[in-house]
Amino acid sequence: MPHSLILTLIPQSPIPPGYLKGKHLHALFLNLVSSVDRTLGTHLHDQKSDKAFTLSPLQIGRPNSHDFTLQHEHKSAIRSGTPCWWRIALLNDSLFGNLTQLWLNLNPEQPWHLGPANLQITSILGTPHTDFPWANYATYAEIYAQASEEERQINLAFCTPTAFRQMQFDTALPTRDLVFNSLLRKWNQYSGIEFSEDLIEPIFPSFFDIHTEVVSDARSKFIGCVGVMNFRILGEVEPVKIKQINALADFAIYSGVGRKTPMGMGMVRRINHAK
């Protein structure tokens, strides 16, 4: 069962911008896991691919319900006492279940560390919430059952810089094959409801309003796309295939697409209309 959890946090001391990079947030997540299951934390740390979680960059204040683009880079420190939120998505039941004690026994007085800063986790939201549109959960069977058999318009918002691996190089252009094969691969890996590899053939890009952004750390730079793309399902397509394609689009909020989703890149979600 996919879960998209929102952690609300208050820094007890300033967080320098150098510690707001994806690798440090990845380390914070592993520390949270290790606090209840050290073996699992070590296992997730050692995994090189197929990680069953995705993370967001740390966000300041409340989400904007009309603009899903997220802040992926901080030029200055986040001040002490600033309300923040952070999204953690888990793609399988076993990972969520292994962390049950973390969710149930969270001590708001216990400090967590992001570089030299102490963080207070004030709440964890795991159900849909009007103030936090990224909070959600559903079984894979529910995602599939609720997917439309008729909707042929798919509008995807690339909310943090999104890039894809092609051969030994990266590309920031979100083609049909790169976006939907990324979704299809994760769906088939975790859902137990396998879709055919040729499912995406009737999908075609229609409208796009995207641009590139740079994500950098001390060692490297990645170029990714941010913005909105509209895809359409064209031609004579069986209702069951339309339903499966829509299920993939609805799944995107949990899985993300492309490179480095465990470090805040590739956060994608379906929206009701293209800008």
Side-chain angles (χ1 to χ4, degrees):
M1 174 188 290
H3 294 262
S4 183
L5 306 168
I6 297 296
L7 280 65
T8 58
L9 312 99
I10 302 289
Q12 303 301 298
S13 53
I15 310 173
Y19 289 95
L20 293 165
K21 306 294 186 181
K23 65 178 183 179
H24 296 290
L25 291 164
H26 183 267
L28 174 60
F29 172 70
L30 295 180
N31 286 337
L32 288 170
V33 173
S34 295
S35 71
V36 292
D37 190 331
R38 185 170 298 277
T39 300
L40 177 61
T42 301
H43 171 70
L44 294 176
H45 178 271
D46 292 341
Q47 273 187 316
K48 300 302 181 185
S49 61
D50 299 328
K51 296 186 178 182
F53 64 92
T54 67
L55 304 176
S56 79
L58 194 63
Q59 303 297 300
I60 298 174
R62 297 278 179 166
N64 184 338
S65 60
H66 302 291
D67 182 4
F68 290 111
T69 302
L70 300 179
Q71 185 172 0
H72 68 274
E73 193 169 39
H74 297 268
K75 300 293 187 182
S76 57
I78 296 180
R79 295 180 179 178
S80 175
T82 302
C84 300
W85 63 274
W86 184 37
R87 199 289 294 267
I88 297 173
L90 308 174
L91 302 183
N92 65 26
D93 278 335
S94 60
L95 183 54
F96 181 83
N98 287 336
L99 299 178
T100 298
Q101 294 306 309
L102 175 62
W103 320 131
L104 294 179
N105 300 318
L106 185 69
N107 180 2
E109 301 302 321
Q110 176 183 350
W112 299 91
H113 307 289
L114 192 56
N118 290 337
L119 299 176
Q120 178 186 10
I121 299 176
T122 57
S123 68
I124 298 179
L125 303 175
T127 56
H129 195 286
T130 54
D131 290 337
F132 291 96
W134 286 94
N136 212 336
Y137 77 97
T139 67
Y140 285 98
E142 287 171 340
I143 294 173
Y144 181 66
Q146 294 167 10
S148 173
E149 295 181 347
E150 301 176 352
E151 180 59 66
R152 288 174 172 258
Q153 299 269 0
I154 296 173
N155 301 303
L156 295 180
F158 298 87
C159 304
T160 61
T162 304
F164 305 87
R165 196 69 165 175
Q166 281 192 305
M167 305 297 286
Q168 69 268 41
F169 302 106
D170 289 342
T171 177
L173 188 64
T175 66
R176 181 265 317 265
D177 287 7
L178 293 174
V179 172
F180 284 92
N181 276 331
S182 179
L183 291 169
L184 180 61
R185 183 172 60 254
K186 288 186 177 181
W187 175 273
N188 283 346
Q189 181 175 356
Y190 296 111
S191 72
I193 307 171
E194 189 164 352
F195 295 162
S196 170
E197 292 185 1
D198 64 358
L199 176 64
I200 70 172
E201 289 181 0
I203 304 172
F204 293 87
S206 176
F207 166 90
F208 49 91
D209 181 10
I210 58 175
H211 64 276
T212 54
E213 296 275 359
V214 177
V215 178
S216 61
D217 58 31
R219 298 175 299 173
S220 58
K221 291 184 178 181
F222 293 90
I223 300 174
C225 76
V226 173
V228 176
M229 283 195 70
N230 168 268
F231 295 89
R232 295 185 181 183
I233 303 171
L234 300 180
E236 294 185 9
V237 185
E238 300 173 17
V240 66
K241 287 194 173 183
I242 294 176
K243 186 178 184 69
Q244 291 173 350
I245 292 169
N246 277 294
L248 290 183
D250 296 338
F251 173 54
I253 187 175
Y254 303 102
S255 69
V257 299
R259 296 262 284 144
K260 294 189 173 293
T261 54
M263 294 191 178
M265 291 182 64
M267 287 186 69
V268 176
R269 64 178 298 148
R270 188 173 194 165
I271 57 176
N272 292 329
H273 62 277
K275 294 182 179 179

